Structure formats: structure tokens, C-alpha cells
Amino acid sequence: KVLIDVPRSDLAEELAQSHTKIQVLQDTLQQMLDRREEERQSRQLLELYLEALKNEDRILSKVAESETVPRKEMDVVDTGTSSTAASAKTALSDQILAALKEKPAPELCLDSQDLELVLKEDAQALASALRWDKQKAEALQQACDQELSKRLQQVQTLHSLRSTSKGKKTLP
């Protein structure tokens, strides 16, 4: 880098070479520096790509695990209570309701299946079950919808990266 930055006339005088030879020398040195920088950037990009693949594998293995673990289903029995009490009943488990009540951003704490359950729930029934007003319950459902969309987009992006990666492996 120092040899590139030195004025050609000074370097030519010091090395007792012509200005054209010094220009060729400086150009060659600059090309070497540029190539090293490209190689460094390529290594960084490759490391990021490999890290993304590892993260994708972790996410996919977690999704596979969650799909194989049987979920506890609740049986709802009609007890013949009044319609206002029945409207407070939801298909959501006590664990989900507790997370919705206690967490400042519950949409980040729930898994995707639970987010889908919250979205399917009637806003009024959700509000009653949580003892909230309907607007707050609707805002919660909207936040859950946004989080679920974000997760879906991340999975699609990872699948796209994986398919691109597999396509490049088959090229010569």
C-alpha cells in the first residue's frame, strides 16, 4: 500500500527505474491489493451463508420436532350455562391465555400453531376470556398475524436460499 501511495517520480528515482516500469509495478501492486480484498469479502460472504444454513437447519429441526410432539387437546363440555358465560369459553388452553395476559409481547413467546389458534378465535370471545376490551383483543390478534407472516416469510426465504444452494452444487 505504501509503494502504491508514493509518487511515481520519487519511487523511480529511488529504485533507479523508468516511470513506465514504476507505473506497471504500482498497477500490479494495486491489482494484488484489490484481489486480496475481493477474497476477504468472498470469505465473509461464505461464512454468512454457512451461518444462515446452520440457522435454517436449526429452525427446520425445531419445526419438525414440534410437529411430531402430540399436542394436548381439550374437550369442551356444554354445561348449559348462560350465553355470556359460554362466550367467554375459547379453544385456547390455559397456558396460551396465561401467556397472552402476562407477557408484554405474547406474539413473540407463542409458537406458530398457538398464533394460528389465537387468530382463529373470535375477537369478542378472546376479549372476554382475557377480560380485555374488544379493541385490545383485536390489536393482539393483529400483532399475532404480523408475527406469523414474518415467520412464514423467514421460512420461505430460508427455503429459497436452500434451493439456490442446491442448484449451485449441481453446476460444474
Side-chain angles (χ1 to χ4, degrees):
K1 182 69 178 155
V2 172
L3 289 175
I4 294 170
D5 293 337
V6 170
R8 284 192 187 117
S9 58
D10 293 348
L11 190 58
E13 186 179 314
E14 189 66 34
L15 295 177
Q17 297 290 326
S18 68
H19 287 283
T20 52
K21 285 187 179 184
I22 296 302
Q23 183 177 356
V24 170
L25 174 66
Q26 285 180 327
D27 290 345
T28 304
L29 291 171
Q30 184 63 51
Q31 289 172 358
M32 292 293 293
L33 285 175
D34 292 345
R35 190 173 324 137
R36 285 182 184 175
E37 179 62 20
E38 287 175 6
E39 289 171 356
R40 185 191 63 76
Q41 289 176 355
S42 295
R43 275 193 302 275
Q44 284 180 332
L45 187 60
L46 182 59
E47 288 171 4
L48 287 172
Y49 179 71
L50 291 174
E51 187 176 323
L53 281 177
K54 288 177 187 176
N55 288 339
E56 177 188 10
D57 288 342
R58 272 187 268 152
I59 290 170
L60 291 177
S61 66
K62 286 180 183 178
V63 168
E65 286 175 15
S66 69
E67 288 175 356
T68 58
V69 174
R71 297 178 59 82
K72 294 181 181 178
E73 298 294 328
M74 291 179 44
D75 290 336
V76 178
V77 177
D78 185 9
T79 58
T81 57
S82 69
S83 62
T84 58
S87 69
K89 293 287 183 191
T90 67
L92 303 175
S93 70
D94 292 337
Q95 183 180 13
I96 295 172
L97 289 173
L100 293 174
K101 284 181 189 177
E102 296 169 5
K103 302 289 183 180
E107 68 274 8
L108 301 177
C109 303
L110 298 175
D111 65 24
S112 296
Q113 291 174 335
D114 292 341
L115 289 174
E116 287 177 356
L117 289 175
V118 172
L119 287 173
K120 289 179 185 176
E121 194 63 49
D122 178 61
Q124 187 60 47
L126 183 62
S128 297
L130 295 171
R131 294 182 177 87
W132 290 353
D133 61 6
K134 188 175 179 182
Q135 288 88 2
K136 190 173 180 181
E138 288 172 343
L140 171 70
Q141 285 182 316
Q142 186 178 16
C144 289
D145 186 36
Q146 289 173 349
E147 177 63 23
L148 197 57
S149 296
K150 186 175 96 175
R151 291 179 188 181
L152 177 63
Q153 185 171 0
Q154 287 174 338
V155 169
Q156 289 171 342
T157 302
L158 289 173
H159 284 295
S160 175
L161 278 172
R162 175 172 272 172
S163 64
T164 301
S165 170
K166 286 181 181 178
K168 293 196 185 252
K169 288 179 186 175
T170 60
L171 295 174

